[in-house]
């Protein structure tokens, strides 16, 4: 088969090493990898065949920088990893001479706006947290009390966020002395009074104050075509470390796949997606690739690239669903590389 060159953005992301390895070990063809990142210390610099520094995904020049690399490196497809890269690429995807594995701009905007996401889920009758969209310390305090604080913990986060950035649990029982002496820095729990002291009195970013979803974490990962899930599966999400899940087990759960179908159709999600649940509540919809549980006979990232290139049809992807193995387990771990400058 014809060799391919794939550009992987945000190649310093935690899942980069596994993703690059899967793309290389596709079993069909030679695949050349071009990494991009805003940091020169990205692991992509060491693991990819070529590497380029680019502006942040929010920079107006980001899409043009990626397009220039596509043309320079002879790239066949662009695979973004970071939520921060999606909007800029979506706005310009039609100007690229190759497939960019990102949904349309409206899909990205609606998915990234957590308040709009929750409104959509409630409208569809799907389980999502009760919430208030507010600005400023006084409004946060009022919303927290409306949702049951201090009788029960609540939480808040920015309306636009990624990777648990800005997420905090508001819990009146927090023991600050125990946090100080026994917990690692960066605890996500605090009292409402402490949050109010840190937030601007008025204005500031839009925040979501929400009921605290509890229970086990699960995600649904897959490939959509804007109308349905073509191929994917649910999995558990366990053993949190530094804000990242480190242990996953694939599940056989038709109900979760039906939920994913409804969300993919309503938001018109194309290419990769990740839907996250805590307990029975949907808390995140990410229209991008996330942590994958790999199988030797079911290489989701490579299949997604082939589908974007028109090398495998929607029906052919859907026919591979029987290959998914419930109980397939993934354990993430930390590794390192060395080199001489």
């Amino acid at each position: 088969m014809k060799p391919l060159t794939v550009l992987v953005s945000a190649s310093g992301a935690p899942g980069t090493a596994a993703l690059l390895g899967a793309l290389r070990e596709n079993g069909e063809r030679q695949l050349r990898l071009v990494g991009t990142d805003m940091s020169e210390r990205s692991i992509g610099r060491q693991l990819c065949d070529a590497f380029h520094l680019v502006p942040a995904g929010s920079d107006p020049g980001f899409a043009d920088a990626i397009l220039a690399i596509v043309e320079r490196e002879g790239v066949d497809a662009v695979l973004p990893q970071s939520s921060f890269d999606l909007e800029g690429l979506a706005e310009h995807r039609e100007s690229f001479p190759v497939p960019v594995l990102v949904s349309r701009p409206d899909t990205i905007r609606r998915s990234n706006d957590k308040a709009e996401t929750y409104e959509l889920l409630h409208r569809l009758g799907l389980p999502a947290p009760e919430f208030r969209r507010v600005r400023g310390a006084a409004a946060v305090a009022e919303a927290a009390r409306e949702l049951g604080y201090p009788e029960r913990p609540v939480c808040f986060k920015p309306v636009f966020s990624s990777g648990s950035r800005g997420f905090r649990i508001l819990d009146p029982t927090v023991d600050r002395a125990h946090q100080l002496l026994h917990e690692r820095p960066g605890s996500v729990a605090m009292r409402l009074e402490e949050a109010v002291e840190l937030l601007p009195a008025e204005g500031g970013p839009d925040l979501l104050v929400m009921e605290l979803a509890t229970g086990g974490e699960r995600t649904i990962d897959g490939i959509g075509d804007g109308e349905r899930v073509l191929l994917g599966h649910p999995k558990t999400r366990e053993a949190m470390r530094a804000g990242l899940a480190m242990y996953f087990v694939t599940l056989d759960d038709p109900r979760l796949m039906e939920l994913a179908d409804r969300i993919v159709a309503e938001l018109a999600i194309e290419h990769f997606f990740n839907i996250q649940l805590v307990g029975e509540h949907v808390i995140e919809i990410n229209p991008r690739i996330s942590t994958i549980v790999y199988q030797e006979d079911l290489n989701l990232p490579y299949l997604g690239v082939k589908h974007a290139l028109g090398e495998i049809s929607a029906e052919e992807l859907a026919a591979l669903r029987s290959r998914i193995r419930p109980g397939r387990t993934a354990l993430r771990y930390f590794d390192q590389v060395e080199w001489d400058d």
Side-chain angles (χ1 to χ4, degrees):
M1 297 183 73
K2 172 192 170 186
L4 289 181
T5 296
V6 176
L7 185 152
V8 178
S9 81
S11 62
T16 294
L19 173 61
L20 298 180
L23 289 170
R24 284 196 196 281
E25 296 163 15
N26 60 78
E28 283 190 347
R29 70 200 332 155
Q30 181 182 353
L31 198 149
R32 180 171 173 267
L33 295 165
V34 177
T36 67
D37 203 274
M38 59 186 290
S39 170
E40 63 180 13
R41 294 182 179 179
S42 164
I43 191 61
R45 179 184 285 275
Q46 309 304 323
L47 300 182
C48 290
D49 300 292
F51 177 82
H52 297 269
L53 285 173
V54 294
S58 58
D59 190 293
F62 174 72
D64 286 340
I66 296 294
L67 177 57
I69 295 166
V70 165
E71 294 171 342
R72 175 178 173 182
E73 296 284 357
V75 168
D76 295 293
V78 176
L79 175 53
Q81 282 198 93
S82 170
S83 296
F84 296 106
D85 295 351
L86 300 180
E87 186 173 354
L89 290 174
E91 292 286 352
H92 297 89
R93 73 175 197 167
E94 303 302 332
S95 65
F96 278 70
V98 300
V100 181
L101 279 69
V102 64
S103 295
R104 297 184 184 279
D106 185 59
T107 299
I108 301 303
R109 181 191 59 77
R110 296 172 70 197
S111 301
N112 284 346
D113 185 320
K114 301 299 188 291
E116 185 161 344
T117 293
Y118 292 162
E119 289 171 359
L120 166 70
L121 293 169
H122 286 303
R123 189 166 67 251
L124 293 176
L126 300 177
E130 291 297 325
F131 72 97
R132 305 287 187 275
R133 184 173 188 154
V134 301
R135 278 187 172 188
V140 167
E142 180 180 0
R145 294 190 176 96
E146 288 178 1
L147 292 170
Y149 188 93
E151 284 72 26
R152 60 177 182 173
V154 298
C155 59
F156 77 92
K157 62 182 176 181
V159 167
F160 298 95
S161 65
S162 176
S164 299
R165 292 172 178 84
F167 174 78
R168 293 294 184 273
I169 296 171
L170 302 176
D171 185 350
T173 67
V174 166
D175 185 336
R176 295 303 306 279
H178 185 274
Q179 283 185 341
L180 175 67
L181 297 174
H182 300 288
E183 296 183 16
R184 293 179 183 273
S187 173
V188 298
M190 63 195 312
R191 297 181 182 182
L192 175 60
E193 297 77 13
E194 296 163 341
V196 166
E197 289 179 4
L198 296 172
L199 293 169
E202 297 181 358
D206 282 359
L207 299 172
L208 281 184
V209 183
M210 306 172 293
E211 67 172 308
L212 180 63
T214 59
E217 294 194 24
R218 294 165 295 166
T219 63
I220 307 150
D221 297 283
I223 303 167
D225 67 353
E227 298 178 356
R228 60 174 174 148
V229 178
L230 299 176
L231 181 63
H233 60 76
K235 68 178 188 295
T236 65
R237 186 173 182 267
E238 309 173 53
M240 303 302 294
R241 185 179 298 178
L244 300 172
M246 306 299 287
Y247 187 85
F248 311 86
V249 181
T250 58
L251 302 170
D252 179 11
D253 193 328
R255 184 178 61 87
L256 287 181
M257 294 308 298
E258 290 172 7
L259 179 147
D261 261 326
R262 292 186 67 187
I263 291 173
V264 165
E266 182 67 26
L267 288 172
I269 296 175
E270 303 169 73
H271 306 296
F272 295 108
F273 69 86
N274 166 268
I275 299 169
Q276 184 178 340
L277 297 93
V278 174
E280 295 303 312
H281 290 91
V282 178
I283 63 165
E284 295 273 353
I285 301 172
N286 299 305
R288 58 167 171 79
I289 197 166
S290 187
T291 304
I292 299 294
V293 177
Y294 297 97
Q295 293 181 199
E296 70 284 353
D297 60 343
L298 194 71
N299 190 328
L300 278 179
Y302 179 61
L303 289 169
V305 170
K306 287 187 69 175
H307 178 62
L309 290 168
E311 294 184 354
I312 186 170
S313 70
E315 290 70 27
E316 288 171 322
L317 272 187
L320 298 175
R321 293 173 183 172
S322 61
R323 291 189 183 180
I324 293 169
R325 301 207 297 268
R328 179 74 170 173
T329 301
L331 175 65
R332 298 172 95 178
Y333 62 93
F334 295 109
D335 199 356
Q336 65 189 49
V337 297
E338 289 81 22
W339 68 91
D340 293 312
D341 284 333

